[in-house]
Structure formats: structure tokens, C-alpha cells
């Protein structure tokens, strides 16, 4: 990556995309296109975007992420998560660009008892997971294709995930229901963005897990957030997954191992990431509002 690199970010309206754009802002020529400006499922539009900007790197943050709705809208999930990625992979191959695509822990069935590695065989238990797995395969067909599996994202200027909703509830003194029996690898988008850049500079194309070191249940995550925020732990309502009706099944154990990535870019622990995020939240909240 040099200052002459041209980075095309797709799905620019999303949570991770905002962090990726920040990471590259001062380091490359960045074009961040939201869905209204570039629909990745439209091959002609992708071809035009690539031929006009001539990116050296295409970082795909576009995704259909409605896990429950995907059970009934498989065509829409596939159009973005699988065939849209195939369009980008072909455009990257034709133009010589590097492609980065983000995968998910939901490609696994959650029956493991230790963190999944890149060597473990995926077995998605939802349509969303299946559509994302197809996307991984297409992305890896690009000669310079990186698939970076992330999980339980939080933070950044466009924070809006399940983890962020727990923080919001605690900050506002509301109860937060947290799974007591689902294990995850909570990951700070700022860390994922930094790791993506360093991986591209130092690592070979291929499949990588990119999550915080260590893992936890959602309840443990909530307890640590509550401790850092100094709020009453009774706001957290530990909830067994079986007691919550969800259209799509979720993996119960979805911890990922970033050991392969850690040899190139060490990932901080989730506790460290959470601490930095909460410092960032406090800083933002203490800034005088620009609105009257
Ligand atoms: N969030 C997580 O916890 C998590 C966990 C595992 C993996 N991931 C993966 O990480 C990546 C980034 O996730 P994120 O949380 O940042 O996602 P996000 O906030 O939901 O953003 C995805 C963006 O993609 C856009 N999009 C949807 N269809 C599109 C299309 N056809 N063309 C162009 N853009 C389109 C969406 O626009 P609209 O809002 O207008 O639909 C949205 O702005 C995704 O690959 C996701 O699957 C995320």
C-alpha cells in the first residue's frame, strides 16, 4: 500500500466501511461508494466504477446482513452476499486489483468446543450463513483475493450492531437481555480496519479470521461493558438462546481463532478493545454538540 494506491470501498454506508474509510483516508486515494452509488449486484455498474477509478484495491463491505429475513429472502441474500461478490471478484481479476471480502462466524454450525480456525469445515445453519459462504468461495477465485472472517462487530462512527445496542441500553440505564449460553468473538471495527490494512501489506492472499483475541459469552461481554461503564450489573438479563424465538438458527459457539492472522498482525483482546471503545464513547459524549 502506497500513497498512490487507489482504494474502492463498497457498501460505504455500513459500520465496518466507515472504519475502513477512516483507516485509509490519509494513506491512499479512497473512493467510498454506498449502495445508492454502486450496487454490487449490478455487473455493469461495477465494471464502470472499476474502469473509471482503476482501484488497486477493492474492499467489499457491502452485505445483506438481515440474518432472520434471509430465511425468506434467499434470493436477495444471494444476490449481494454471493453473486455480488462474484461480480467484484471478476472485476478484480480483470483489472489486476486486490479484493478484500469480509466473511462471518455464521458459516459454522456452532457445535465446536474450541475456537474455529481457517482449517475447520464450514457448515452454515442459516440461509444467511450459506449465502456468505458462497461469497467466500467466489472471492477466493480472484487471483489476489483475501477473505477476512469477522464476528460480532462493534464501534466506529456508525455503530449499530447487537453489541452497540447492549452498550446503548446500559448507558441509558435500560435493561439489556444478553445470551448466557452463546459464545462469540466481539471485534472492534477500528481493530479490524487496522488489521485489514496491515494484512494487505504483509500477508499473502487467502482466508483469515480477524477477531479480537479471547472470546466470551454475550453475558460476559455485557458484564465487562457494565464494569467499564460503572453501571449496575442487574441491568443485564442473562437469557438462554432457546428462550428467544429467532427465525434463523444461530451458532451457539461462534468463537474464532485469529492465530493465523496474529502471526502477521497481533489482534488485541476483546477486553482491551472494549476499554478503548468506551473511552471513545466518553470522549464523543463530552464533546460540545455542534447543534443548537
Ligand atoms: N456486523 C457484524 O457483527 C458482522 C458479523 C460477521 C460478519 N460481518 C460482515 O462484515 C461486513 C461488514 O458488515 P457491517 O456490519 O459493516 O455491515 P452493515 O453495517 O450492515 O453494512 C452493509 C452495507 O452494505 C450495503 N449494501 C447492501 N446491499 C448492497 C448492494 N447490493 N450494493 C452495495 N451495498 C449494499 C448496505 O446498505 P443498506 O443499509 O442500504 O442496505 C449497508 O450500508 C459484511 O460482509 C458482513 O457480512 C458483520
Amino acid at each position: 500500500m502506497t500513497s498512490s494506491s487507489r482504494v474502492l470501498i463498497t457498501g460505504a454506508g455500513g459500520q465496518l466501511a466507515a472504519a475502513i474509510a477512516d483507516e485509509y483516508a490519509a494513506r491512499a486515494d479512497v473512493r467510498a461508494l454506498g449502495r445508492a452509488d454502486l450496487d454490487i449486484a449490478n455487473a455493469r455498474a461495477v465494471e464502470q466504477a472499476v474502469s473509471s477509478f482503476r482501484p488497486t484495491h477493492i474492499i467489499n463491505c457491502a452485505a445483506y446482513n438481515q440474518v432472520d429475513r434471509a430465511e425468506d429472502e434467499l434470493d436477495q441474500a444471494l444476490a449481494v452476499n454471493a453473486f455480488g461478490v462474484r461480480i467484484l471478484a471478476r472485476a478484480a481479476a480483470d483489472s489486476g486489483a486486490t479484493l478484500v471480502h469480509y466473511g462471518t462466524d455464521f458459516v459454522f454450525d456452532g457445535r465446536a468446543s474450541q475456537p474455529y480456525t481457517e482449517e475447520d469445515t464450514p457448515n452454515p445453519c442459516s440461509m444467511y450463513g450459506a449465502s456468505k459462504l458462497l461469497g467466500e468461495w467466489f472471492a477466493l477465485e480472484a487471483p489476489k483475493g483475501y477473505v477476512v472472517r469477522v464476528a460480532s462487530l462493534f464501534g466506529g462512527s456508525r455503530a449499530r450492531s447487537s453489541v452497540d445496542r447492549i452498550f446503548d441500553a446500559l448507558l441509558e440505564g435500560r435493561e439489556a437481555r444478553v445470551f448466557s449460553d452463546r459464545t462469540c468473538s466481539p471485534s472492534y471495527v477500528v481493530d479490524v480496519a487496522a488489521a485489514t490494512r496491515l494484512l494487505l501489506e504483509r500477508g499473502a492472499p487467502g482466508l483469515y479470521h480477524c477477531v479480537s483475541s479471547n472470546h466470551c459469552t454475550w453475558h460476559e461481554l455485557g458484564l465487562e461493558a457494565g464494569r467499564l461503564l460503572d453501571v449496575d450489573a442487574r441491568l443485564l438479563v442473562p437469557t438462554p438462546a432457546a428462550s428467544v424465538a429467532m427465525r434463523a438458527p444461530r451458532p451457539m459457539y461462534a468463537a474464532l481463532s485469529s492465530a493465523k492472522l496474529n502471526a502477521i498482525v497481533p489482534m488485541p483482546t476483546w477486553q482491551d478493545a472494549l476499554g478503548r471503545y468506551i473511552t471513545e464513547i466518553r470522549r464523543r459524549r463530552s464533546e460540545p454538540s455542534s447543534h443548537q
Side-chain angles (χ1 to χ4, degrees):
M1 183 72 51
T2 65
S3 56
S4 61
S5 299
R6 290 181 303 283
V7 178
L8 174 64
I9 302 172
T10 58
Q15 181 167 11
L16 179 58
I20 298 282
D22 288 346
E23 178 69 23
Y24 278 107
R27 296 183 168 95
D29 183 3
V30 175
R31 185 165 293 181
L33 299 179
R35 184 186 195 151
D37 298 313
L38 179 61
D39 175 355
I40 67 159
N42 181 334
R44 177 68 63 84
V46 168
E47 195 185 304
Q48 281 170 356
V50 169
S51 63
S52 75
F53 184 53
R54 293 179 295 107
T56 52
H57 297 76
I58 301 172
I59 303 187
N60 178 35
C61 297
Y64 177 106
N65 280 334
Q66 309 292 326
V67 177
D68 288 313
R69 277 171 50 188
E71 297 295 307
D72 303 306
E73 298 180 352
L74 182 58
D75 53 339
Q76 292 180 45
L78 287 173
V80 185
N81 293 345
F83 302 120
V85 181
R86 183 170 64 178
I87 289 169
L88 292 173
R90 287 179 176 168
D94 291 346
S95 65
T98 295
L99 174 68
V100 181
H101 173 65
Y102 292 96
T104 172
D105 48 336
F106 279 25
V107 295
F108 293 113
D109 59 20
R111 293 191 203 139
S113 52
Q114 56 186 21
Y116 287 101
T117 74
E118 294 83 352
E119 302 297 315
D120 288 314
T121 306
N123 183 29
C125 52
S126 65
M127 295 300 170
Y128 165 76
S131 70
K132 291 289 293 181
L133 180 59
L134 271 172
E136 291 188 356
W137 293 342
F138 287 133
L140 290 172
E141 282 179 4
K144 290 187 269 177
Y146 291 77
V147 169
V148 179
R149 284 191 189 134
V150 298
S152 309
L153 295 177
F154 63 86
S157 56
R158 227 170 272 139
R160 61 181 189 184
S161 67
S162 306
V163 183
D164 298 299
R165 281 192 287 276
I166 296 171
F167 294 157
D168 288 347
L170 295 181
L171 280 163
E172 289 160 19
R174 289 185 282 113
E175 281 192 348
R177 288 207 301 170
V178 282
F179 290 118
S180 49
D181 51 1
R182 282 190 57 216
T183 299
C184 63
S185 295
S187 301
Y188 191 18
V189 288
V190 171
D191 293 340
V192 171
T196 298
R197 181 177 63 79
L198 293 170
L199 173 63
L200 291 180
E201 289 173 8
R202 301 173 186 170
L207 173 64
Y208 295 86
H209 290 177
C210 176
V211 295
S212 300
S213 297
N214 296 345
H215 51 272
C216 56
T217 64
W218 286 78
H219 184 219
E220 288 165 342
L221 168 75
L223 285 174
E224 179 66 3
R227 189 186 69 77
L228 290 165
L229 292 167
D230 199 19
V231 300
D232 189 340
R234 282 173 297 184
L235 287 174
L236 293 162
V237 185
T239 308
S243 70
V244 180
M246 287 181 286
R247 178 85 179 87
R250 265 71 167 172
M252 290 296 288
Y253 183 93
L256 300 184
S257 162
S258 292
K260 180 180 172 186
L261 177 71
N262 282 341
I264 305 167
V265 184
M267 290 297 285
T269 64
W270 64 265
Q271 294 95 330
D272 178 80
L274 213 57
R276 281 178 287 122
Y277 178 41
I278 286 170
T279 302
E280 173 64 16
I281 293 176
R282 289 212 168 101
R283 189 189 60 75
R284 271 197 231 141
R285 289 191 167 212
S286 67
E287 276 175 1
S289 167
S290 55
H291 303 290
Q292 293 297 315

